[in-house]
Amino acid sequence: NSSSFVKVLGQDYPTDEKTNITSAIIEKLDRRLHLQPAHPIGTLRTLIESHFPSFSSYSDFSPVVTPAKNFDDLSFPEDHPGRSVTDSYYINNDLMLRTHTSAHEVETFAKGVREWLLTADVYRRDEIDASHYPAFHQMEGARIFDTSPNGIRELEEDNARLAAHLQRSNIVIEDIPHITATNPHQPLHDPKHSELVAQNLKLSLNSLILDLFGGRAGAAEGEPLRVRWIEAYFPFTSPSYEVEVFFHGKWLEILGCGVVLQSTLDRARVPDSIGWAFGLGLERIAMILYSIPDIRLFWSQDPRFLEQFAPGVINTFKPFSKYPACYKDVSFWLSDKSLHENDFCDLVRDTAGDLVEDVKLIDAFTHPKTQRSSRCFRINYRSMDKSLTNEEANVLHEQVIARLKQNFGVEIR
Ligand code: PHE
């Protein structure tokens, strides 16, 4: 409907067939948790900024970007799944919510700054559980070096300085080779330069991780913190890596990074340079450092949450009592309209807001004769600040079912 508009951050935008942004998401856009000084996300930003004192810091870029900025500038292929409406939030064909802080790499490099940090809220359609939320915060960091002999000498000196600094005991870092056949340097790069930049990246991030986690996480149980580097793939870096931290019995991914694709620097018109970039997930790190058990809590306006924190201080979160869970299942036959799991999660999120803790697909089935497909989802309704009655959960669940029928033409089983 071309005469419809959606209001985003005080501005009206025309909607079209691509529009899939929901009111539950729109409400998050002006919260700016990373700029609240006492909020864990704000504190983490300032701690990381002070770890990189010579870097320029940015934290005020609008979440509304063009798909060109979010994807094309970073060499995402035309058919990359991240571009689809099932993965990303679109305002319309021409505008979307950034899915990562890398969306600002080109414009930031184009300012001429050679080492910078950029913190922002990012948005992705995703599953619902304790560590996934469709709105979260990332910090992008990047540094580029001159490829002149002087620049490379500085890089080598910096590597020696960082390596000397990295001497602590209660952290075990599992490393991998900087460059391999499956994680190659870029054809345009001198392999020696690429190797040195990758080394600088790893040393810089290991030193940040030691600074943030040293003596904190895991220390209580007397166990060392375990960190591992793994080979990764991003369309805009090569070689690429991910870093995971062992937390509550699971490896939790906290960042992605790599040597910046030369085409990104070319688009920013930065000549004769080579460098690295990383993007880290602030919620994941804050959950570990503060022992915050559920990612929804970051958005809580409850004083029992907010009043536990002070600017610049990392303290252990004391959970207020957990209220009982209320599980409700819904089983239905699909119509000819497609329904992605993320569509279902967004519908639930938009109906029940933060009263939904977890959504699981528990059954998917196609009838052998009729070829009709059915789905069964289990929704866990739980409030973080009161005991939800069965009647209240029923009201929400009925609304979910009504919208499911209306928007996706499903037939309840
Ligand atoms: N933008 C990537 C993500 O969100 C992380 C990343 C940043 C990877 C910078 C490489 C370089 O997953």
Side-chain angles (χ1 to χ4, degrees):
N1 185 340
S2 61
S3 61
S4 291
F5 289 84
V6 61
K7 206 185 226 17
V8 174
L9 290 170
Q11 210 174 312
D12 286 325
Y13 295 94
T15 57
D16 59 28
E17 73 287 349
K18 220 152 174 194
T19 308
N20 65 353
I21 185 171
T22 62
S23 50
I25 291 299
I26 292 176
E27 283 167 16
K28 302 284 184 284
L29 293 168
D30 59 5
R31 293 285 303 278
R32 300 155 73 83
L33 301 183
H34 57 292
L35 296 179
Q36 321 269 321
H39 194 281
I41 299 296
T43 287
L44 205 46
R45 173 181 63 81
T46 57
L47 289 180
I48 297 171
E49 284 174 357
S50 38
H51 181 84
F52 292 104
S54 59
F55 285 47
S56 308
S57 297
Y58 304 90
S59 47
D60 216 10
F61 281 61
S62 168
V64 178
V65 300
T66 58
K69 255 195 199 184
N70 199 80
F71 298 120
D72 303 299
D73 278 3
L74 295 159
S75 314
F76 276 69
E78 214 44 69
D79 60 354
H80 191 281
R83 292 181 187 260
S84 73
V85 287
T86 55
D87 284 34
S88 300
Y89 289 104
Y90 284 86
I91 292 174
N92 54 38
N93 254 303
D94 304 322
L95 290 172
M96 64 182 300
L97 300 182
R98 68 184 153 224
T99 64
H100 55 172
T101 41
S102 305
H104 303 293
E105 275 192 13
V106 168
E107 64 193 299
T108 309
F109 282 127
K111 290 175 189 289
V113 285
R114 301 184 66 81
E115 35 185 39
W116 53 268
L117 298 168
L118 188 150
T119 311
D121 42 334
V122 302
Y123 300 85
R124 285 184 206 173
R125 301 187 73 196
D126 214 334
E127 56 204 276
I128 299 185
D129 67 24
S131 58
H132 289 88
Y133 197 84
F136 57 103
H137 294 79
Q138 284 189 328
M139 186 179 242
E140 194 89 357
R143 180 169 182 193
I144 51 179
F145 302 87
D146 250 43
T147 48
S148 69
N150 262 340
I152 298 301
R153 194 171 322 113
E154 262 175 49
L155 172 53
E156 282 170 327
E157 282 166 10
D158 197 59
N159 285 355
R161 181 187 63 80
L162 282 166
H165 237 261
L166 275 173
Q167 306 294 343
R168 297 255 193 107
S169 56
N170 60 343
I171 293 181
V172 177
I173 295 168
E174 298 174 27
D175 201 4
I176 51 167
H178 303 326
I179 292 171
T180 63
T182 48
N183 201 17
H185 69 80
Q186 295 163 45
L188 289 171
H189 285 161
D190 178 335
K192 187 178 149 251
H193 294 180
S194 184
E195 183 89 24
L196 287 169
V197 168
Q199 191 188 3
N200 191 267
L201 167 63
K202 285 185 177 177
L203 288 166
S204 303
L205 285 172
N206 284 339
S207 134
L208 170 68
I209 292 168
L210 284 161
D211 196 7
L212 288 176
F213 291 94
R216 279 197 192 98
E221 305 93 62
E223 302 260 316
L225 176 75
R226 295 170 63 198
V227 176
R228 70 176 180 193
W229 284 79
I230 52 184
E231 208 171 289
Y233 175 81
F234 300 104
F236 43 96
T237 50
S238 190
S240 305
Y241 318 94
E242 271 164 13
V243 174
E244 297 183 338
V245 171
F246 199 70
F247 178 61
H248 283 180
K250 280 198 288 202
W251 287 101
L252 201 61
E253 184 199 323
I254 58 164
L255 71 88
C257 63
V259 177
V260 177
L261 223 59
Q262 216 51 33
S263 53
T264 306
L265 295 181
D266 292 344
R267 281 187 195 100
R269 301 185 184 286
V270 179
D272 307 317
S273 301
I274 181 171
W276 50 251
F278 65 76
L280 49 85
L282 292 178
E283 276 82 355
R284 292 287 183 83
I285 296 174
M287 286 175 83
I288 301 173
L289 291 177
Y290 289 83
S291 302
I292 292 175
D294 188 316
I295 195 166
R296 288 178 300 167
L297 282 163
F298 292 105
W299 301 90
S300 171
Q301 317 246 33
D302 190 322
R304 285 174 304 167
F305 178 76
L306 294 172
E307 286 173 4
Q308 291 197 25
F309 308 107
V313 182
I314 293 183
N315 54 294
T316 301
F317 169 69
K318 292 185 204 66
F320 27 96
S321 57
K322 226 179 173 189
Y323 295 92
C326 191
Y327 292 95
K328 304 270 170 201
D329 290 356
V330 54
S331 302
F332 50 86
W333 294 106
L334 293 174
S335 70
D336 45 11
K337 273 193 198 156
S338 77
L339 179 123
H340 190 281
E341 198 174 333
N342 287 347
D343 294 324
F344 184 81
C345 287
D346 257 333
L347 185 151
V348 177
R349 189 82 81 179
D350 206 39
T351 308
D354 286 352
L355 296 176
V356 53
E357 175 167 307
D358 196 281
V359 172
K360 276 199 190 77
L361 177 64
I362 56 174
D363 190 47
F365 161 81
T366 301
H367 193 285
K369 290 227 177 75
T370 63
Q371 291 299 308
R372 289 181 89 193
S373 291
S374 78
R375 297 283 182 275
C376 180
F377 286 96
R378 176 160 297 163
I379 306 174
N380 174 6
Y381 296 98
R382 192 205 308 257
S383 167
M384 285 182 298
D385 39 42
K386 64 181 186 130
S387 194
L388 204 61
T389 65
N390 192 46
E391 288 69 44
E392 288 168 314
N394 274 338
V395 170
L396 293 170
H397 198 59
E398 287 308 320
Q399 286 170 1
V400 166
I401 291 172
R403 292 180 73 180
L404 202 52
K405 289 199 238 174
Q406 193 175 27
N407 300 355
F408 295 95
V410 310
E411 184 191 321
I412 302 299
R413 293 182 65 179

